[in-house]
Amino acid sequence: SVLEIPTCEVHHPSINSAVDALVRATETINIAAYNEKSGDGGLRYVQFQVERTTGKICLTLVWNADSLKNTQPALTRLIKELQRVEP
């Protein structure tokens, strides 16, 4: 599960916006978070980094798959949805 802290004063505003976009995108296309107990779900971890001078975000997604082929089509759908909501 995702622990939401949208008013965290330590986070750069771009990170808060990117987290919101990721949550909306995963809900829209029904991407399940990884479940440690059952081993089900695709999205295992995320990391957000911000370039402070531009506010641009670098998003790293860690997927529950043993190869890139096994991330499909879910990962491609997630990337397309993220690009749609946050071009």
Side-chain angles (χ1 to χ4, degrees):
S1 76
V2 175
L3 176 62
E4 295 187 37
I5 46 174
T7 58
C8 179
E9 294 182 18
V10 181
H11 284 169
H12 189 281
S14 293
I15 288 180
N16 292 331
S17 294
V19 169
D20 182 57
L22 180 62
V23 169
R24 286 184 286 130
T26 56
E27 289 173 350
T28 297
I29 60 171
N30 200 28
I31 297 291
Y34 178 72
N35 182 312
E36 286 282 337
K37 292 179 182 175
S38 69
D40 294 329
L43 187 56
R44 196 163 184 165
Y45 302 104
V46 297
Q47 177 182 355
F48 297 89
Q49 295 174 306
V50 64
E51 165 47 52
R52 292 195 176 272
T53 57
T54 64
K56 289 186 177 184
I57 293 291
C58 174
L59 172 60
T60 303
L61 303 171
V62 177
W63 212 262
N64 179 32
D66 58 359
S67 70
L68 182 59
K69 180 181 176 184
N70 292 333
T71 66
Q72 301 305 319
L75 180 57
T76 297
R77 288 187 2 249
L78 178 57
I79 291 168
K80 286 181 180 180
E81 182 64 17
L82 284 169
Q83 290 171 332
R84 187 185 72 75
V85 297
E86 288 289 324

